[in-house]
Amino acid sequence: TGGGAAYGRSASPVGPEAVWLGADPVRVHLGWEEGRLRARPVPLAAAWLEHAAWTAPGVVWGGGGDPAVFRVDLAGGTTERVSLPAPVRALAALPGGDGIVIATWDGGLTVLDVRTRERSPLPGTERPASFLVPAPDGRSLLVGSSPDLVVQPLGAGDGQVVHLHGTRVRTLLPQPDGGLWVVGGSGADEIDPDGAATRRSVEPAVRLVRCGDAWWLGEQDGAIRRMGGPVLARLPTWIEAMNCTPDGSRLAAGSRTRTSLLDARSGAVLREMEGSALAVSPDGAVWNAADDVVLRVPPDGGEAEVISDPGRTYTIVASPTSVWAGTSTGVVWSLAPEVRRVGYLGGLVR
């Protein structure tokens, strides 16, 4: 790791054909090289990189436990450190890739010009921020400041504060009209396109997804239901993942120990499976991992196919053309279109 340990907690997309993968204690770049997928360790200074954003093809900015952000050139394999007054709590790339907005643990937001490395505070942002997402209009920033959401202009001016029901923002779902669903730890709020008001709120909810002609909620107690409707299924613990098949016909919901597959039209439970790692691939297949077995439920809902044992799977991710699995022993597998070991990361793949 280039002289120090790096700790990553997640997989982060950094371009159309590449992804960051976090492992203990390695950070790698997984992408296509000469027509084949290769896992390549990236030299990082000693750091805990928990947040990443890409500003240009092959260029990633990351931060975490160190009071600094790191610029990683994936093609050249080089890393540059830019010092900050405090560790990074969240970061996001600005539209156009000319800068990044950084939230640090000492409060407030800073804009870093990626060309000059100059830092400037964003006015009116003294509240601590737990997440940053550029708004679709490119003129404002969605700032998570529990238990509120702040719509912060990127120019001068104070942000608009929207009070939320959730205590921790877990999911942001933009709507075609510019509105936004914000899902927190105990509720979901639909925000107006201008961010000035709340259209409606639902409680309790920790997951929200559009499937078929309805919104579906996953709740803290494991309940699964349509918005405004009765409970149709219940898992042993709170809902950690919800996915809809591309045609809107089936909903997959997973807790820490079990996964349910429902008919999105009738609400009937089609199948229950052990395991929590869950993904839906573009062909409509549902992928589920339990212990040392990965199951693929075909698009027609027929008999599940058992995939060759890749080891104890911790996470499954579906891309437009492939399905990936990461294991507790640090192995990354390609499960589709063929089962193939891609590489070894050295620790738990998150």
Side-chain angles (χ1 to χ4, degrees):
T1 56
Y7 180 84
R9 289 189 172 183
S10 63
S12 307
V14 292
E17 295 183 335
V19 68
W20 276 110
L21 288 177
D24 304 338
V26 190
R27 192 74 163 174
V28 304
H29 171 250
L30 183 67
W32 293 98
E33 296 179 10
E34 299 177 352
R36 288 190 61 82
L37 188 76
R38 302 181 188 277
R40 184 156 51 88
V42 173
L44 297 170
W48 174 3
L49 290 188
E50 189 176 0
H51 313 284
W54 62 287
T55 56
V59 177
V60 180
W61 289 82
D66 268 19
V69 287
F70 295 85
R71 179 187 184 276
V72 181
D73 184 333
L74 299 175
T78 59
T79 304
E80 176 189 352
R81 185 182 193 273
V82 179
S83 296
L84 297 173
V88 174
R89 193 173 186 182
L91 62 82
L94 293 177
D98 295 331
I100 56 174
V101 181
I102 306 166
T104 54
W105 280 94
D106 61 352
L109 302 180
T110 299
V111 178
L112 175 71
D113 188 311
V114 300
R115 294 167 298 184
T116 65
R117 308 297 191 263
E118 292 182 357
R119 291 187 286 116
S120 56
L122 195 61
T125 59
E126 290 74 22
R127 296 160 60 108
S130 56
F131 76 89
L132 305 170
V133 179
D137 61 10
R139 299 191 299 269
S140 57
L141 192 70
L142 304 176
V143 182
S145 184
S146 296
D148 300 324
L149 177 76
V150 180
V151 182
Q152 178 65 45
L154 289 173
D158 294 332
Q160 296 175 321
V161 178
V162 181
H163 298 287
L164 304 176
H165 285 80
T167 56
R168 178 185 176 188
V169 176
R170 298 181 178 277
T171 307
L172 297 173
L173 297 172
Q175 301 305 304
D177 65 355
L180 180 77
W181 273 106
V182 183
V183 186
S186 57
D189 300 272
E190 189 179 21
I191 309 300
D192 268 335
D194 61 2
T198 301
R199 288 178 180 168
R200 54 179 168 163
S201 300
V202 292
E203 297 181 78
V206 292
R207 291 290 182 266
L208 176 70
V209 68
R210 183 79 179 183
C211 196
D213 58 358
W215 285 101
W216 289 77
L217 302 174
E219 302 181 0
Q220 286 181 316
D221 62 358
I224 304 166
R225 61 185 175 90
R226 294 189 185 96
M227 188 177 293
V231 173
L232 297 173
R234 190 181 297 275
L235 294 173
T237 58
W238 76 344
I239 306 301
E240 296 203 345
M242 291 183 73
N243 289 285
C244 182
T245 56
D247 63 0
S249 66
R250 291 175 299 154
L251 175 82
S255 69
R256 292 191 176 186
T257 57
R258 292 188 65 82
T259 295
S260 288
L261 186 61
L262 289 81
D263 186 312
R265 298 184 179 92
S266 68
V269 178
L270 303 175
R271 188 189 303 264
E272 290 195 343
M273 300 171 282
E274 298 293 331
S276 58
L278 174 67
V280 175
S281 51
D283 64 356
V286 176
W287 300 76
N288 179 70
D291 295 327
D292 293 335
V293 176
V294 175
L295 300 178
R296 177 188 180 273
V297 180
D300 62 6
E303 190 67 26
E305 173 189 2
V306 179
I307 305 300
S308 300
D309 178 14
R312 189 172 184 85
T313 299
Y314 192 86
T315 186
I316 300 177
V317 178
S319 73
T321 58
S322 308
V323 178
W324 314 100
T327 71
S328 59
T329 57
V331 179
V332 177
W333 287 84
S334 169
L335 300 181
E338 62 177 349
V339 178
R340 178 168 56 87
R341 175 173 166 150
V342 175
Y344 175 67
L345 303 187
L348 173 65
V349 180
R350 299 173 183 269

